[in-house]
Amino acid sequence: MKSSPLPPDLAKIAARLSARPLGEPASDHKDRVMAAVRRELAAARTPWWQPKETWHFAAAAVAAAVLFVWMNVAMRAANPPGWRLRGPGNGVAVAQTAARIHELVPSLCEREAWRQAVVLHAGARLVPAPQPAGRAAGALLLHELKEGGP
């Protein structure tokens, strides 16, 4: 006996469905499909300088220019030249601050007092924006830590 992939009741339904007559497509179906394909192909070949794409490009260029100008103005406002209220720190000032913190809060160990002093001195010159300084900033920090480190 040959095994069927479908149960008998589903096999009967499948046979009836495959035996039924199929309706013919509408007489203008082929024309509508071909017209839609032509429109899509023509839209895909539209060059970028035609009006639809030109406006998208122009809007993106204007948005990029506005963003660029806004970022420059924001950076200038965040990093005004000559408005540094404190001069460059040195290790002696950090060591004095650490000693004063340790005097005021004797429960803190010396290392923690030193860490708090470094944080206080760093926050005194903090600008809420990136300030590209390169290697000079790292060298200055290293110099401060060597002079008055714990």
Side-chain angles (χ1 to χ4, degrees):
M1 188 174 217
K2 184 169 119 183
S3 66
S4 172
L6 294 174
D9 55 344
L10 289 179
K12 283 182 192 177
I13 293 173
R16 283 180 40 205
L17 285 174
S18 62
R20 72 181 183 156
L22 297 176
E24 292 295 320
S27 61
D28 66 334
H29 182 71
K30 178 181 174 184
D31 296 331
R32 287 186 291 140
V33 169
M34 291 304 289
V37 168
R38 278 189 212 98
R39 277 193 312 270
E40 290 299 319
L41 288 175
R45 282 181 277 168
T46 303
W48 67 270
W49 62 84
Q50 286 191 348
K52 177 182 172 188
E53 295 298 321
T54 302
W55 290 111
H56 291 283
F57 178 76
V62 168
V66 167
L67 180 66
F68 181 73
V69 169
W70 177 82
M71 286 178 63
N72 279 317
V73 168
M75 287 293 291
R76 177 53 74 191
N79 295 311
W83 285 10
R84 305 281 183 229
L85 299 178
R86 296 184 75 160
N90 57 25
V92 176
V94 174
Q96 289 172 348
T97 305
R100 182 75 175 133
I101 289 173
H102 190 63
E103 273 180 38
L104 294 173
V105 186
S107 62
L108 286 178
C109 66
E110 285 185 33
R111 186 167 179 82
E112 179 62 20
W114 180 261
R115 190 184 77 77
Q116 293 293 333
V118 169
V119 169
L120 282 173
H121 279 267
R125 293 185 299 271
L126 184 64
V127 175
Q131 188 173 12
R135 298 176 135 215
L140 180 64
L141 178 63
L142 187 61
H143 179 69
E144 283 183 24
L145 291 176
K146 282 183 182 176
E147 280 186 6

